[in-house]
Amino acid sequence: MKNALHWLTRTPLVSGPLILRLTLALVFFPHGAQKVLGWFGGYGFAGTLGFFTGQLGIPAPLAVLAIVTEFLAPLALVLGLGTRVAAFGLAVVMAVAALTVHLPNGFFANWSGKQAGEGIEFHLLAIGAALALVVVGAGRASLDRVIAARTAVA
């Protein structure tokens, strides 16, 4: 168990992952807060769950997992706590959203308002940033570094 925890939390003392963590957190927190708390014009947990299960046809347990991930993962990224798990969760949420909802709208974001909806370019950027954190880890200023130091195998 200690080896698995060390593997999940080990990370180099570099600033690149810190920048990625904070950027992803800044982008995703408002979306998660919309879905869970109803902030920023969102529908809150019940409304979002109803939309995911009713209109999108997502099974309730998976819908809850996606909603909770989009809310808690940014908080974990700010702290650098469970970074690989949080980032992987966001990558999966974005991949599912891209493939099930946004792919029919093409590649580009709907900058001009002429498309039926958003394309997948934002999702690909988010997936790439998240997967970089899965590979590299949390980097500088993270609780993962503290945990990795305490679980290092001698």
Side-chain angles (χ1 to χ4, degrees), residues 36 40 98 145:
V36 172
F40 310 109
R145 282 191 57 76

Side-chain angles (χ1 to χ4, degrees), residues 49-141:
L49 183 60
F51 175 74
F52 278 18
T53 58
Q55 288 190 288
L56 298 180
I58 298 171
L62 295 178
V64 169
L65 185 60
I67 293 166
V68 170
T69 297
E70 215 169 319
F71 182 67
L72 294 180
L75 301 175
L77 292 177
V78 167
L79 298 172
L81 178 63
T83 300
R84 285 185 168 91
V85 174
F88 182 75
L90 288 177
V92 170
V93 167
M94 287 294 95
V96 170
L99 294 172
T100 61
V101 177
H102 299 279
L103 188 59
N105 300 319
F107 178 78
F108 295 102
N110 194 10
W111 294 104
S112 64
K114 296 178 183 175
Q115 295 173 195
E118 296 293 334
I120 62 168
E121 71 176 322
F122 165 77
H123 302 81
L124 293 176
L125 282 170
I127 291 166
L131 291 179
L133 289 173
V134 171
V135 171
V136 175
R140 187 178 300 277

